[in-house]
């Protein structure tokens, strides 16, 4: 039981670490793109460049967060859909197995009576 808990806990920890690293990479990429964006604007002062880079980065991260939230919501809805479908198929499979078992038992009983 503790091994099961530990593997679930480690999996959650792994997911959190992966999420942190992915978000950190997203932040780094947004900052790089902001620098590239302002690089061609050589007329900007240092404070103007920093302000534009900060706003560009904030907007990029806002859009990235919205994308991630939309993807997460879609994953949740797909999971619910697949779980529902799985339950339906499982019930159908159990019903067929039961029907076949009852049918075979009935045929065996009829044949033993003859």
């Amino acid at each position: 039981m503790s091994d099961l808990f530990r593997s679930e806990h480690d999996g959650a920890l792994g997911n959190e670490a992966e999420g942190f690293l992915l978000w950190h990479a997203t932040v780094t990429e947004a900052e790089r793109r902001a620098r590239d964006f302002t690089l061609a604007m050589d007329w900007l002062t240092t404070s103007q460049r920093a302000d534009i880079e900060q706003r560009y980065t904030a907007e990029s991260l806002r859009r990235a967060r919205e994308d991630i939230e939309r993807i997460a919501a879609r994953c949740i809805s797909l999971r619910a859909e697949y779980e529902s479908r799985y339950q339906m198929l499982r019930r159908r499979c159990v019903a067929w197995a039961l029907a076949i078992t009852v049918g075979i038992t009935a045929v065996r009983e009829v044949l033993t009576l003859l």
Side-chain angles (χ1 to χ4, degrees):
M1 178 83 170
S2 65
D3 290 336
L4 177 63
F5 176 73
R6 184 174 299 148
S7 66
E8 288 177 7
H9 181 67
D10 291 345
L13 184 61
N15 287 339
E16 286 182 29
E18 183 180 12
F20 172 79
L21 292 173
L22 286 172
W23 185 251
H24 183 68
T26 301
V27 170
T28 303
E29 180 65 17
E31 290 170 345
R32 185 193 62 77
R33 287 184 181 192
R35 277 191 306 278
D36 291 347
F37 179 72
T38 59
L39 191 61
M41 301 177 197
D42 52 358
W43 63 87
L44 294 172
T45 65
T46 303
S47 64
Q48 289 173 330
R49 183 179 311 278
D51 185 46
I52 290 173
E53 286 178 8
Q54 182 183 13
R55 289 174 189 234
Y56 187 101
T57 301
E59 180 62 22
S60 293
L61 294 177
R62 184 190 62 76
R63 280 187 269 126
R65 180 175 294 274
E66 288 174 356
D67 291 343
I68 290 169
E69 288 171 351
R70 188 174 52 253
I71 290 168
R74 179 66 177 144
C75 288
I76 290 169
S77 71
L78 282 175
R79 181 180 181 136
E81 181 182 335
Y82 287 137
E83 284 179 353
S84 168
R85 191 169 290 172
Y86 172 76
Q87 291 297 326
M88 181 187 65
L89 290 173
R90 187 170 145 186
R91 282 190 297 262
R92 191 180 298 164
C93 184
V94 168
W96 273 105
L98 234 109
I100 289 170
T101 302
V102 167
I104 290 173
T105 303
V107 167
R108 191 183 84 203
E109 288 299 319
V110 167
L111 289 177
T112 56
L113 290 176
L114 292 176

